[in-house]
Amino acid sequence: VQLVESGGGLVQPGGSLRLSCAASGLTFSIYDMIWYRQAPGKERELVARIGSREGSILYADSVKGRFSISRDNAKNTVYLQMNSLKPEDTAVYYCKASRIAGLDSYWGQGTQVTVSS
């Protein structure tokens, strides 16, 4: 199983980025897909989650109205559209495939997002 994140980089405050996480080696459509982030010196936190076939979505309060999660089961890919970025969004962003309450889960290697002028 592989999860490969891409799309990170350096962006100015107020800017946008779109992260992608391409999955292989698993039945993508049956997994919930989750974006986490971890800033230096802080614990990893959930950013957004999208359910498997049902597509139920939830966001952390800190990103509601700015970030949007989506998935394309035909491409085995989950996306995170990040708008109105703030310096406090700076972190390594990870995607996770999860089912059975996390008993069956896989992580990507992470992609760095830096928001700075």
Side-chain angles (χ1 to χ4, degrees):
V1 175
Q2 267 197 316
L3 300 178
V4 180
E5 300 98 334
S6 61
L10 173 64
V11 63
Q12 292 187 341
S16 298
L17 283 175
R18 188 194 196 202
L19 304 184
S20 300
C21 172
S24 60
L26 76 170
T27 306
F28 180 79
S29 63
I30 67 173
Y31 284 82
D32 294 346
M33 296 302 298
I34 311 164
W35 285 99
Y36 286 82
R37 67 185 181 188
Q38 188 165 20
K42 294 188 177 181
E43 293 187 355
R44 193 170 295 190
E45 63 173 353
L46 186 149
V47 176
R49 180 185 187 119
I50 185 165
S52 55
R53 294 181 180 90
E54 295 78 18
S56 60
I57 291 174
L58 67 83
Y59 297 98
D61 288 344
S62 58
V63 307
K64 280 181 182 176
R66 299 188 299 122
F67 290 12
S68 177
I69 189 171
S70 61
R71 65 189 295 162
D72 186 337
N73 288 343
K75 295 183 178 180
N76 287 1
T77 300
V78 62
Y79 305 96
L80 186 67
Q81 178 67 44
M82 306 187 295
N83 300 326
S84 303
L85 282 161
K86 305 176 181 180
E88 51 264 43
D89 295 318
T90 295
V92 178
Y93 284 71
Y94 300 89
C95 70
K96 178 182 179 182
S98 177
R99 69 185 190 108
I100 316 178
L103 293 177
D104 179 16
S105 63
Y106 305 94
W107 288 91
Q109 84 289 347
T111 185
Q112 176 70 47
V113 171
T114 302
V115 185
S116 175
S117 55

